Amino acid sequence: MNLRWPPPPGGGPVPYGPGNTGPRTGRPTLPEPPTELVPTPHEVMLECLATGRGEPVTVFAHGLGGSIADTRPLGSAVEGRKVFFHFRGHGRSDSPTGTWTYVDLARDLRAVADLSGATRAVGASLGAGALCRLLADHPTRFDRVVFYLPAVLDTPRPQAARRRLTALLEAVESGDAAAAAEVIAREAPPAVRDTPAVWAYLRGRLDQLMRDGLAPALASLPDQVAVPDRSALGAVTAKALVIANRGDDLHPVSVAEELAAALPEADLHVYDEPGALWTQRADLRARIAGFLNG
């Protein structure tokens, strides 16, 4: 992808031929609302955003190098109060010293869930791994859970994940927005990478990453496992929905299949191609909402 950053004045790639040539702002489809820093019992301040109202409460956990904005589309049709947060090392959340593990991530997730009274949880990629670890240690904590694109269970992630994170960390640390955009753009299928929607997404992600950065301690996470032994998930009482995409080398379908098999009460849905958030967004949102609202 020959990506030019910043984008053209219209906010995205300029199409050839006839058509609508009006300006396109390139603004994120979901503008960033005000967030707050929340103190936790384990003394790590976490950046949080709460939307909606009433019961039940659902907590949303993002992926490695991701953000609150990444998980907001997953909850757009979910009823009740929704609480989004940044893991340690992301956004404005604290970056404690030392090496981090999925135990630490699970502690972040558990703190936000406890403080908000959440009975349901959605974890994407890294967030799915943290949710696995939380449930392995506290199998009755949630009533319903969604694992979107689980990437790791009890074996380390593929090398592709380490290469992607290393490239992103280096780009962010050096302030190279174009290099960071190249890495982030690979999250979208090639067919939609030059669309205004993807450029808007890139602009929002880059604004946040260039402003807040990413903690170097995140570099150790791709080599770690979410749970030492998947059999610990056999005691989980929550109903679960596991979602994967075929052709996604960062989130192998095999991990989703193993996770669904390890959970006592889980449904597995696999999309036929990668990038469901881009190509099957309406179906994905309806599927998650239908499960959580049921």
Side-chain angles (χ1 to χ4, degrees):
M1 180 180 183
N2 186 16
L3 184 66
R4 179 159 65 93
W5 196 264
V14 178
Y16 293 97
N20 183 1
T21 57
R24 288 166 290 165
T25 65
R27 296 174 183 169
T29 54
L30 290 171
E32 293 186 34
T35 58
E36 61 176 331
L37 287 173
V38 176
T40 66
H42 58 291
E43 299 182 344
V44 176
M45 298 284 286
L46 298 176
E47 184 180 11
C48 296
L49 166 69
T51 65
R53 63 181 65 181
E55 301 291 339
V57 180
T58 307
V59 61
F60 292 77
H62 63 77
L64 184 56
S67 68
I68 287 172
D70 296 345
T71 51
R72 287 187 67 202
L74 302 179
S76 60
V78 174
E79 297 173 353
R81 189 163 177 257
K82 292 164 283 192
V83 181
F84 307 86
F85 76 99
H86 277 137
F87 281 113
R88 62 184 62 205
H90 297 77
R92 295 192 297 132
S93 293
D94 282 350
S95 298
T97 58
T99 301
W100 304 340
T101 69
Y102 277 90
V103 173
D104 298 307
L105 301 177
R107 188 174 292 122
D108 290 349
L109 175 56
R110 175 69 188 266
V112 175
D114 288 351
L115 291 170
S116 62
T119 58
R120 308 181 301 182
V122 177
S125 191
L126 176 81
L131 182 54
C132 281
R133 185 54 188 255
L134 193 163
L135 288 172
D137 295 336
H138 307 279
T140 64
R141 177 58 187 80
F142 295 107
D143 298 332
R144 288 179 180 260
V145 291
V146 176
F147 300 90
Y148 177 60
L149 302 182
V152 62
L153 198 53
D154 52 6
T155 56
R157 296 185 67 176
Q159 284 299 310
R162 165 164 284 287
R163 290 193 294 269
R164 176 188 175 278
L165 179 61
T166 298
L168 184 59
L169 287 171
E170 291 176 350
V172 171
E173 184 177 3
S174 66
D176 189 341
E182 291 283 354
V183 177
I184 299 168
R186 295 179 204 138
E187 298 173 10
V192 301
R193 285 179 189 169
D194 272 343
T195 62
V198 172
W199 281 78
Y201 169 74
L202 279 174
R203 183 184 293 276
R205 280 289 303 277
L206 285 171
D207 285 349
Q208 185 267 317
L209 284 172
M210 294 298 126
R211 180 186 69 236
D212 299 327
L214 287 171
L218 296 171
S220 65
L221 289 172
D223 295 329
Q224 300 185 36
V225 297
V227 294
D229 185 347
R230 72 185 70 172
S231 65
L233 297 173
V236 173
T237 58
K239 293 183 178 180
L241 173 63
V242 184
I243 301 174
N245 297 327
R246 297 196 189 281
D248 187 336
D249 60 347
L250 296 181
H251 310 92
V253 172
S254 59
V255 175
E257 293 172 336
E258 292 166 357
L259 174 57
L263 293 165
E265 193 171 355
D267 292 328
L268 172 67
H269 181 79
V270 180
Y271 287 98
D272 290 332
E273 58 184 1
L277 189 59
W278 298 102
T279 62
Q280 301 287 337
R281 178 171 291 210
D283 182 84
L284 175 63
R285 291 190 297 192
R287 190 174 299 277
I288 292 174
F291 172 76
L292 291 176
N293 297 341

